C-alpha cells in the first residue's frame, strides 16, 4: 500500500480521486480525515505507550489502523506495549521528568495524578461524542476534571468484567442456569467444588481481575471505601458482610489465588483447573480460537446482583491522555480521532470480539454484540458501572487507593493471612485515611 504524504493526500483529495484507492480506506474515512479540525504539526511523529493485548485481535487491528493513519497523514506512530501493572509507574515517571511518550493509554483515575501536565482534550471528546454518541457516566467521572472544568483524558472503554463459567460442570452440579444473585452463585461454587471443580478469583495485585471482583463484592453488599465527601467509610456492617462472603467464596477456590496476576485465571480456566471466575471475554475468545473441546462448554454471564439488588459493576477503565511536553499535540489528537472514528474503532472492537466495550453509546449497536449470546454480556458492562472511589470525589486519592490495592488487600488479609475481619477493615480504613489526607 502506497504511503501518502500530506501534500499528496491534499492533492488527491482536491482532485476528488485516488486517496481512498491509495490507502485502502473507505471514502468516508478519507473525508473524515480531510474535514478533521485537528491538523498534525509539520514533521510530526508520535510515541504511544499502551497496555499489552490479551487477545490477538486487539493488537492486530490496532496496529493495522495505526498503519492506515500513518499512510493517510504521513505521521509515524511508534507503539510501546507494556504489561498492565507497568503502565501507571511509567506514566508517573514521564510526569516527573517531563519527557517520554506523547500520549498514554492508562487506567482508571491515573490522569488525576497529573492533570496540570495534560492537554485539554475537550474539543476532541466533543467531536467524538457528536459522531459516536455520548459517553457513559463512568467515563466522564474518569476523564472530566470538575475542578479544572475540562477534559483531561479521552475516554476509550473497558475490558469488561463478566462471569466465565463451565456450563457442563454447572449442570452436573444441579444448576440449569447461571444464578442471578450472589447467594445463588456461592451455592453453585460450593456444589462444583464438591465435584472437584473449584472456582478462582484473584486475591493478588491483578490490575483488572482482583479490582473487578473486589469492588463488585463490596458495592453489591452496600459497602463503600469512602463517603461522598471522601471521608473513609470502609468500616461498616456492609463491608463486614462482603468480607464474610469473600471468606465463604474463598473456601471454594483453587489454591494459589493469593499470587494471581491478570493472566492466571485465564490460564487456569483454559487448563480445566477452575470452573468459574470473573474476567474479560479473553477466556471465551481464546477458547473459541484454540480449544475446540472446551469452547462449547465455556459460557459468560453478567455478574450476579448482591443484597442491594443493583448493578455494581467495576471494570478497569482505559483512556488516553496527551502530555503538554509533547511537541505534537494536534497530531496526537488527530491520531486518537482517527482510531476512535466509527470506521476504525468498529473494526477494532469486532476483530477482538468485544474485548473492549467502547465508552461511547453509539458502539453498543455493533453487530458483534449479538453475534453470540456469550458476547452480549460484555456489551452491557458499562450500564450502571461505577468508578473507583465511588461515591467519593474522583481524583488523586481514589487513584492512589486503587493503585495500592487497598480493597483486595483487605480481603486477602482475612482469607489468606487469617486476620480478623474487623481488624482487616480497620487496617484498610487506616490506609485510606492516610491516602485521602495526603493526596
Amino acid at each position: 500500500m502506497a504511503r501518502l504524504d500530506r501534500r499528496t493526500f491534499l492533492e488527491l483529495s482536491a482532485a476528488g480521486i485516488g486517496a481512498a484507492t491509495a490507502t485502502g480506506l473507505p471514502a468516508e474515512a478519507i473525508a473524515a480525515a480531510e474535514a478533521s479540525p485537528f491538523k498534525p504539526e509539520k514533521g510530526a511523529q508520535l510515541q504511544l505507550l499502551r497496555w499489552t493485548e490479551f487477545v490477538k485481535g486487539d493488537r492486530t487491528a490496532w496496529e493495522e489502523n495505526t498503519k492506515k493513519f500513518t499512510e493517510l497523514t504521513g505521521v509515524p506512530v511508534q507503539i510501546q506495549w507494556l504489561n498492565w501493572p507497568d503502565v501507571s509507574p511509567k506514566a508517573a515517571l514521564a510526569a516527573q521528568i517531563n519527557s517520554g511518550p506523547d500520549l498514554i493509554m492508562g487506567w482508571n483515575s491515573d490522569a488525576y495524578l497529573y492533570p496540570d501536565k495534560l492537554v485539554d482534550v475537550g474539543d476532541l471528546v466533543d467531536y467524538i461524542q457528536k459522531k459516536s454518541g455520548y459517553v457513559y457516566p463512568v467515563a466522564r467521572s474518569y476523564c472530566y476534571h470538575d475542578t479544572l472544568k475540562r477534559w483531561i483524558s479521552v475516554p476509550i472503554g473497558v475490558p469488561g468484567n463478566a462471569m466465565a463459567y463451565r456450563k457442563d460442570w454447572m449442570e452436573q452440579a444441579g444448576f440449569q442456569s447461571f444464578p442471578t444473585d450472589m447467594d445463588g452463585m456461592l451455592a453453585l461454587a460450593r456444589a462444583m467444588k464438591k465435584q472437584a471443580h473449584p472456582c478462582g478469583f484473584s486475591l493478588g495485585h491483578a490490575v483488572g481481575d482482583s479490582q473487578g471482583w473486589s469492588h463488585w463484592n463490596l458495592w453489591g453488599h452496600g459497602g463503600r471505601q469512602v463517603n461522598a465527601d471522601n471521608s473513609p467509610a470502609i468500616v461498616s456492617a456492609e463491608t463486614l458482610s462482603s468480607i464474610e462472603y469473600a471468606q465463604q467464596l474463598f473456601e471454594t477456590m483453587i489454591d494459589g489465588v493469593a499470587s494471581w496476576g491478570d493472566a492466571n485465571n485465564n490460564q487456569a480456566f483454559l487448563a480445566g483447573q477452575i470452573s468459574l471466575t470473573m474476567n474479560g471475554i479473553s477466556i471465551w475468545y481464546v477458547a473459541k480460537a484454540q480449544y475446540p473441546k472446551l469452547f462449547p462448554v465455556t459460557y459468560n454471564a453478567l455478574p450476579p446482583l448482591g443484597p442491594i439488588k443493583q448493578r455494581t459493576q467495576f471494570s478497569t477503565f482505559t483512556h488516553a491522555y496527551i502530555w503538554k511536553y509533547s511537541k505534537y499535540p494536534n497530531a496526537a489528537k488527530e491520531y486518537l480521532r482517527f482510531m476512535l472514528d466509527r470506521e476504525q474503532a468498529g473494526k477494532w472492537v469486532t476483530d477482538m470480539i468485544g474485548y473492549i466495550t467502547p465508552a461511547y453509546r453509539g458502539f453498543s449497536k455493533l453487530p458483534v454484540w449479538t453475534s453470540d449470546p456469550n458476547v452480549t454480556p460484555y456489551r452491557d458492562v458499562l450500564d450502571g458501572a461505577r468508578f473507583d472511589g465511588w461515591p467519593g470525589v474522583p481524583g488523586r486519592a481514589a487513584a492512589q487507593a486503587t493503585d495500592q490495592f487497598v480493597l483486595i488487600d483487605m480481603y486477602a488479609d482475612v482469607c489468606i493471612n487469617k486476620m480478623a475481619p474487623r481488624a482487616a477493615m480497620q487496617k484498610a480504613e487506616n490506609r485510606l485515611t492516610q491516602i485521602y489526607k495526603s493526596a
Side-chain angles (χ1 to χ4, degrees):
M1 186 181 296
R3 170 178 168 176
L4 297 183
D5 58 27
R6 185 158 186 79
R7 179 179 178 181
T8 305
F9 165 67
L10 293 174
E11 289 174 351
L12 289 170
S13 298
I17 58 174
T21 301
T23 62
L25 284 168
E28 293 80 3
I30 301 291
E34 188 177 16
S36 171
F38 312 109
K39 305 302 183 186
E41 296 84 355
K42 184 178 180 181
Q45 50 186 309
L46 296 173
Q47 294 183 35
L48 164 69
L49 187 154
R50 63 154 287 184
W51 39 269
T52 193
E53 80 284 358
F54 256 73
V55 298
K56 184 179 179 181
D58 171 14
R59 184 164 183 160
T60 300
W62 189 271
E63 290 183 335
E64 286 178 353
N65 286 336
T66 297
K67 183 180 179 183
K68 291 176 181 176
F69 169 79
T70 299
E71 292 167 343
L72 185 62
T73 63
V75 178
V77 181
Q78 179 182 359
I79 305 174
Q80 181 181 7
W81 301 84
L82 283 185
N83 292 328
W84 290 27
D86 298 331
V87 174
S88 296
K90 196 79 172 182
L93 177 62
Q96 182 179 4
I97 64 176
N98 282 314
S99 181
D102 299 277
L103 64 165
I104 289 178
M105 280 175 63
W107 299 120
N108 300 326
S109 297
D110 277 357
Y112 279 90
L113 296 174
Y114 12 76
D116 295 334
K117 294 179 179 288
L118 303 179
V119 172
D120 183 344
V121 291
D123 50 358
L124 176 56
V125 175
D126 289 345
Y127 184 96
I128 299 171
Q129 289 191 116
K130 289 177 182 176
K131 297 283 186 179
S132 299
Y134 288 103
V135 297
Y136 292 88
V138 69
R140 189 181 189 282
S141 299
Y142 280 124
C143 301
Y144 184 84
H145 200 296
D146 281 320
T147 301
L148 298 178
K149 300 189 182 307
R150 66 180 178 87
W151 290 87
I152 56 176
S153 193
V154 180
I156 293 181
V158 296
N161 276 321
M163 295 299 178
Y165 64 96
R166 285 284 298 263
K167 183 172 183 289
D168 53 343
W169 290 346
M170 178 187 76
E171 292 174 346
Q172 290 170 17
F175 290 73
Q176 296 308 308
S177 62
F178 193 79
T180 57
D181 59 52
M182 287 187 176
D183 285 343
M185 195 191 85
L186 179 60
L188 170 61
R190 285 170 167 163
M192 291 194 292
K193 178 65 180 296
K194 285 183 178 178
Q195 297 187 346
H197 301 311
C199 66
F201 294 80
S202 173
L203 279 160
H205 287 180
V207 173
D209 294 338
S210 64
Q211 301 284 18
W213 86 269
S214 60
H215 282 83
W216 160 76
N217 182 35
L218 177 71
W219 292 336
H221 284 86
R224 57 186 62 184
Q225 67 181 36
V226 294
N227 295 308
D229 62 359
N230 273 357
S231 58
I234 196 74
V235 175
S236 70
E238 291 80 9
T239 300
L240 183 59
S241 294
S242 77
I243 291 176
E244 291 170 349
Y245 184 85
Q247 284 180 296
Q248 295 172 79
L249 189 62
F250 176 70
E251 293 172 357
T252 71
M253 295 187 195
I254 192 172
D255 292 340
V257 295
S259 60
W260 272 13
D262 285 297
N264 292 96
N265 63 337
N266 295 57
Q267 295 164 355
F269 192 100
L270 293 170
Q273 297 172 345
I274 61 172
S275 55
L276 167 67
T277 190
M278 177 182 279
N279 203 64
I281 201 171
S282 53
I283 288 175
W284 186 84
Y285 178 103
V286 174
K288 178 180 174 67
Q290 302 177 27
Y291 295 80
K293 293 184 179 178
L294 180 63
F295 177 64
V297 294
T298 300
Y299 276 62
N300 301 316
L302 283 170
L305 301 181
I308 67 168
K309 304 300 181 186
Q310 296 178 13
R311 293 281 303 280
T312 54
Q313 189 79 24
F314 179 89
S315 295
T316 303
F317 193 88
T318 187
H319 47 90
Y321 42 91
I322 304 168
W323 297 98
K324 286 184 177 179
Y325 63 67
S326 170
K327 297 178 181 178
Y328 311 113
N330 291 336
K333 285 185 178 181
E334 175 59 9
Y335 176 64
L336 292 174
R337 183 209 65 76
F338 180 84
M339 298 296 282
L340 295 175
D341 182 78
R342 290 184 62 83
E343 190 69 35
Q344 286 72 246
K347 180 182 186 305
W348 177 49
V349 174
T350 300
D351 283 4
M352 57 183 167
I353 320 180
Y355 181 68
I356 292 294
T357 306
Y360 305 86
R361 294 179 184 273
F363 288 103
S364 66
K365 298 177 182 177
L366 287 173
V368 67
W369 299 119
T370 51
S371 61
D372 188 294
N374 284 299
V375 180
T376 308
Y378 292 92
R379 177 194 62 189
D380 302 328
V381 294
L382 284 170
D383 283 330
R386 297 174 176 179
F387 56 92
D388 58 5
W390 177 91
V393 180
R396 177 184 293 269
Q400 291 181 348
T402 302
D403 288 349
Q404 294 180 30
F405 296 92
V406 173
L407 194 53
I408 196 64
D409 284 353
M410 177 183 72
Y411 293 121
D413 276 338
V414 175
C415 296
I416 305 296
N417 302 324
K418 307 305 178 187
M419 184 180 289
R422 292 188 182 281
M425 280 197 300
Q426 188 59 56
K427 178 183 175 182
E429 178 135 319
N430 292 344
R431 293 179 68 186
L432 291 168
T433 299
Q434 182 63 36
I435 289 171
Y436 277 79
K437 183 178 179 180
S438 60

